Amino acid sequence: VEFLYCDLASMKSIRQFVQRFRAKNCPLHVLVNNAGVMLVPERKTEDGFEEHFGLNYLGHFLLTNLLLDKLKQSGTHSHNARIITVSSATHYVGKLHLNDLQSRYSYSPHGAYAQSKLALVLFTYRLQHLLTANGNHVTANVVDPGVVNTELYKHVFWVVKVAKWMTAWLFFKTPEEGASTSIYAAVSPEMEGAGGCYLYNEERTKSADVAYDEELQRRLWTESCKMVGILDESSRVP
C-alpha cells in the first residue's frame, strides 16, 4: 500500500496528484471515488464551489477524467478497468438545479447533499455511455453503501447524533459492511464487463427515474467540463 495525498476539494491538488501518479508509470485497473461530506454548513471550496457539489461531485469528475487515459490503457478485453463511484440513497430525493448548481439562491444542506449524490449517478451513466461508444475496456458503476456508522454524520443535529449513538448497533452498517458493495464492484468476476449499474447490497437495482434522463446527463457533463476547465469531447458522441 502506498499513500499519495489528494484533496478532492481542490482542483489544484487533484491535478498535482494525477501528475505524481503518472510519474510512477503504473497501470490503473480500479478507481474508487469514495470521498464525501454531508450536511455541512454553507461554505465554499478554495475554487469557489459549494462544498457538497465541489468535493462530492466535481472533485471526482475531474479526477476520473484526468485518469481516463490511464484506465483505458490498463483495461483489456478480458479484464476491464473499473470505475466505482459511491453515491447514496439520498439521490432518490435529489433535484439537479442546472441553473443553480452552487445553491447560491437557496441553500439547504440536505438539498445540496442530495443534489451532489444525484449528480454522481448521472455522471456514471453518461460516462459508461461514452466508454461504450468509444469501445473502451473500462466500466463505470455507482454504489449505494447503505447507512454506515462513520464520521460522515458529524454535522447532523445533536438530537440525531444521540439517536445515532443509541441505535447504530442495530440500524447502521459497520465501515467494513459499508465497503462490501464497493469491493464487490471492484473485484467480483460477476461484474466483469458490466457497466452503468446502480448497486446496493451487492445487487443491481434501479436508481431514481431522473438519473436515466440522457439529456440531463449530457447537460450536466458539459457544464461540469466548463466548471473544472477541461475539454468536453463528449459532443462527438450522441
Side-chain angles (χ1 to χ4, degrees):
V1 175
E2 183 176 351
F3 175 82
L4 291 178
Y5 179 80
C6 181
D7 180 359
L8 269 293
S10 166
M11 301 295 118
K12 179 180 178 181
S13 178
I14 294 168
R15 292 180 182 277
Q16 290 174 339
F17 165 81
V18 171
Q19 287 181 339
R20 288 193 294 268
F21 179 78
R22 287 178 179 277
K24 293 182 174 295
N25 198 31
C26 297
L28 178 58
H29 299 108
V30 177
L31 172 65
V32 180
N33 293 319
N34 186 58
V37 293
M38 184 176 76
L39 307 184
V40 297
E42 186 173 8
R43 60 194 187 196
K44 292 179 171 57
T45 67
E46 66 177 45
D47 302 287
F49 300 123
E50 185 278 314
E51 190 167 348
H52 290 99
F53 197 77
L55 194 161
N56 294 1
Y57 171 66
L58 286 177
H60 292 121
F61 180 86
L62 178 62
L63 178 67
T64 302
N65 273 280
L66 294 181
L67 291 173
L68 262 185
D69 59 342
K70 183 61 71 172
L71 286 156
K72 292 173 183 177
Q73 293 166 13
S74 304
T76 65
H77 179 71
S78 57
H79 291 90
N80 282 247
R82 304 187 188 188
I83 301 167
I84 296 92
T85 297
V86 179
S87 182
S88 161
T90 312
H91 91 275
Y92 286 105
V93 297
K95 294 182 180 179
L96 195 78
H97 302 284
L98 278 171
N99 61 339
D100 187 26
L101 291 172
Q102 303 302 320
S103 304
R104 292 191 177 101
Y105 299 115
S106 177
Y107 182 77
S108 158
H110 294 84
Y113 176 69
Q115 175 178 246
S116 71
K117 291 300 179 178
L118 173 59
L120 289 170
V121 184
L122 288 158
F123 154 65
T124 299
Y125 291 167
R126 180 60 178 165
L127 176 59
Q128 183 60 57
H129 178 80
L130 297 173
L131 291 167
T132 301
N134 291 319
N136 300 125
H137 299 304
V138 184
T139 59
N141 291 296
V142 62
V143 165
D144 174 1
V147 183
V148 188
N149 189 14
T150 69
E151 288 300 307
L152 191 64
Y153 297 86
K154 64 182 179 181
H155 292 289
V156 300
F157 293 120
W158 70 268
V159 175
V160 179
K161 288 183 179 179
V162 171
K164 172 180 175 290
W165 177 76
M166 295 175 63
T167 63
W169 65 275
L170 181 62
F171 297 112
F172 285 61
K173 293 182 178 181
T174 65
E176 290 77 12
E177 291 169 339
S180 65
T181 302
S182 293
I183 296 171
Y184 172 80
V187 301
S188 171
E190 296 172 24
M191 293 302 297
E192 177 57 46
C197 302
Y198 185 87
L199 301 170
Y200 176 64
N201 285 344
E202 301 182 14
E203 293 184 358
R204 304 180 200 190
T205 187
K206 187 176 181 295
S207 61
D209 290 339
V210 68
Y212 299 102
D213 185 333
E214 295 182 358
E215 178 60 22
L216 190 60
Q217 294 169 15
R218 283 193 289 267
R219 292 176 65 190
L220 174 63
W221 184 282
T222 298
E223 187 61 29
S224 301
C225 288
K226 293 177 184 176
M227 296 172 82
V228 301
I230 61 174
L231 184 64
D232 181 10
E233 299 179 344
S234 69
S235 56
R236 293 178 296 211
V237 178

